[in-house]
Amino acid sequence: MRALVIALLLANVGWAQTEPANGNSADDPASRAVRLKDIAVIRGARSNQLTGVGVVVGLEGTGDTKSTPQTQQAIANALERFGLSVNPASMSLKNVAIVLVTAELPAFAQPGTHIDVTVSSMGDAKSLQGGTLLQTPLYAAGNSREAFAVAAGPVSIGGFNFGAGGSSVQKNHVTVGRIPEGAIVERAVPSTFVTDNNLFIHLRQPDFTTASNVAEAIMTAYPEYEALAVDGATIRVTPPDSRLMDPVRLVSQLELLAVTSDTPAKIVVNERTGTIVIGENVRIRPAAVAHGGITVTITKTTEVSQPPSFTAEGGPGVPFDNTAVKVKEPKAKVAWLDDMPTVADLVKALNQLGVSPRDLIAILQALRGAGALQATIEIQ
């Protein structure tokens, strides 16, 4: 049994400001400068999801069974296009599987462009290994009349499965595969990123401070522009009419602009895997953390007692259990946590305790509950 003892000694002292090795303070805006294209997108320049239902043929007895009647119907429909009329109920197929085909249509994709597709089994097929997808139209959400792309080709699953003698071996998911560049774009999606002489920039992670920084950076770099943070996720940019004559170059210049991105103080914890991610703005007030463990060992042995007897041969032996309990309590380790402006100092101090990732999760939660940890903990 392991016990964690968290002792917190809070002190009313000011924040310590130290300088990192590169000479820039942790709060230096230059240390957090990123390209605008890495944290934001332009309204109108977006991708679209495409889906379709298709059939994979050529499987080696690993396809759908009669428990999936839609497979027989799909094959009957495919044969109907070639002038062959077949009763779906009369077919017994093992080398065919019905699948869901998905793809992402990039912004500005033109007819003739090849895109990747993902093929997923919808029935009870055991594997899609070695199969080939028949020509499958792909549609956008809310539009099932005109296909935006057509997919076909051999399926690559990146795994294997086989069985013999009642046992089986499988690697990766063999009922999901991909077809690299397996779809050809048939229709382009109109994309308009200039609306009423305005450009709209959307942050991937909304933040009022970052939005304000982006607007200020745009007006500093281009004084002739008008930039306004409409809300925590949207920045409206109004360039001069002369710049609107070349909108692609205009967007390119904005995307390469260096801006200061502000991130909240957050710790993301995944208790299932023991993964901990600590953001750069996490701060800790002065505290003392004690970590110790108690190990209890219980051993059980069986012994035999031979009592004296009135006969020459001796009496029968009597077995009995002997239980021993040992308790070991190592000397607890204590680490003093000063005001820490960097994540590296926090991790270094906690590593002095020799804690495991799961124990570190408990320590961080206790620090947050006591008010010593200036961050939000997100449990996944």
Side-chain angles (χ1 to χ4, degrees), residues 118-279:
T118 300
V119 179
S120 306
S121 174
M122 297 177 61
D124 57 356
K126 296 181 180 179
S127 174
L128 299 179
Q129 183 177 6
T132 300
L133 176 69
L134 295 183
Q135 192 177 65
T136 305
L138 303 180
Y139 305 97
N143 188 342
S144 59
R145 295 183 178 180
E146 298 185 20
F148 283 85
V150 176
V155 180
S156 173
I157 62 173
F160 62 85
N161 68 332
F162 60 88
S167 61
S168 63
V169 177
Q170 175 174 321
K171 179 181 179 181
N172 297 340
H173 293 280
V174 294
T175 55
V176 178
R178 290 179 59 83
I179 306 178
E181 298 186 354
I184 302 177
V185 177
E186 298 293 337
R187 295 177 56 206
V189 178
S191 299
T192 303
F193 50 93
V194 178
T195 305
D196 297 332
N197 297 334
N198 293 320
L199 285 174
F200 291 90
I201 301 173
H202 297 290
L203 298 178
R204 291 191 175 94
Q205 294 184 351
D207 183 84
F208 287 102
T209 303
T210 302
S212 178
N213 292 341
V214 169
E216 182 178 354
I218 293 175
M219 291 189 296
T220 300
Y222 304 100
E224 68 276 16
Y225 288 17
E226 179 183 349
L228 175 65
V230 179
D231 51 41
T234 306
I235 301 94
R236 185 183 64 207
V237 181
T238 306
D241 294 339
S242 58
R243 294 297 183 96
L244 292 175
M245 301 298 296
D246 190 358
V248 174
R249 183 178 180 182
L250 169 64
V251 173
S252 176
Q253 291 175 342
L254 293 176
E255 286 184 336
L256 298 178
L257 187 64
V259 299
T260 302
S261 175
D262 189 80
T263 57
K266 179 183 291 187
I267 299 176
V268 180
V269 173
N270 190 322
E271 292 186 328
R272 296 186 300 272
T273 62
T275 303
I276 305 172
V277 180
I278 303 176

Side-chain angles (χ1 to χ4, degrees), residues 31-360:
S31 65
R32 300 192 303 274
V34 296
R35 296 182 304 176
L36 181 59
K37 66 185 304 180
D38 296 328
I39 63 173
V41 295
I42 304 297
R43 178 188 293 181
R46 49 156 294 179
S47 59
N48 292 272
Q49 294 179 335
L50 304 179
T51 57
V53 177
V55 176
V56 173
V57 299
L59 304 177
E60 191 176 1
T62 59
D64 295 335
T65 65
K66 287 188 175 181
S67 300
T68 311
Q70 56 267 34
T71 303
Q72 283 77 16
Q73 185 63 53
I75 287 295
N77 295 341
L79 294 176
E80 187 73 24
R81 295 199 299 265
F82 294 97
L84 300 175
S85 179
V86 181
N87 183 7
S90 64
M91 292 187 294
S92 179
L93 305 174
K94 295 183 179 180
N95 301 334
V96 179
I98 189 168
V99 294
L100 178 67
V101 185
T102 58
E104 182 173 341
L105 182 64
F108 314 113
Q110 299 300 315
T113 304
H114 289 254
I115 58 177
D116 299 341
V117 298
T118 300
V119 179
S120 306
S121 174
M122 297 177 61
D124 57 356
K126 296 181 180 179
S127 174
L128 299 179
Q129 183 177 6
T132 300
L133 176 69
L134 295 183
Q135 192 177 65
T136 305
L138 303 180
Y139 305 97
N143 188 342
S144 59
R145 295 183 178 180
E146 298 185 20
F148 283 85
V150 176
V155 180
S156 173
I157 62 173
F160 62 85
N161 68 332
F162 60 88
S167 61
S168 63
V169 177
Q170 175 174 321
K171 179 181 179 181
N172 297 340
H173 293 280
V174 294
T175 55
V176 178
R178 290 179 59 83
I179 306 178
E181 298 186 354
I184 302 177
V185 177
E186 298 293 337
R187 295 177 56 206
V189 178
S191 299
T192 303
F193 50 93
V194 178
T195 305
D196 297 332
N197 297 334
N198 293 320
L199 285 174
F200 291 90
I201 301 173
H202 297 290
L203 298 178
R204 291 191 175 94
Q205 294 184 351
D207 183 84
F208 287 102
T209 303
T210 302
S212 178
N213 292 341
V214 169
E216 182 178 354
I218 293 175
M219 291 189 296
T220 300
Y222 304 100
E224 68 276 16
Y225 288 17
E226 179 183 349
L228 175 65
V230 179
D231 51 41
T234 306
I235 301 94
R236 185 183 64 207
V237 181
T238 306
D241 294 339
S242 58
R243 294 297 183 96
L244 292 175
M245 301 298 296
D246 190 358
V248 174
R249 183 178 180 182
L250 169 64
V251 173
S252 176
Q253 291 175 342
L254 293 176
E255 286 184 336
L256 298 178
L257 187 64
V259 299
T260 302
S261 175
D262 189 80
T263 57
K266 179 183 291 187
I267 299 176
V268 180
V269 173
N270 190 322
E271 292 186 328
R272 296 186 300 272
T273 62
T275 303
I276 305 172
V277 180
I278 303 176
E280 66 169 345
N281 291 328
V282 175
R283 298 291 186 272
I284 286 186
R285 291 184 179 277
V289 179
H291 172 77
I294 298 177
T295 303
V296 179
T297 304
I298 302 176
T299 58
K300 181 179 181 181
T301 59
T302 302
E303 300 180 4
V304 178
S305 175
Q306 186 69 41
S309 176
F310 295 99
T311 63
E313 292 81 4
V318 178
F320 68 96
D321 295 331
N322 186 14
T323 303
V325 180
K326 295 182 180 180
V327 179
K328 182 179 180 182
E329 183 177 7
K331 184 178 180 180
K333 298 179 181 180
V334 180
W336 174 257
L337 307 180
D338 293 322
D339 277 345
M340 297 179 183
T342 65
V343 177
D345 294 335
L346 168 61
V347 175
K348 180 179 179 180
L350 293 179
N351 283 340
Q352 293 177 1
L353 301 177
V355 298
S356 66
R358 298 191 184 279
D359 291 340
L360 181 56

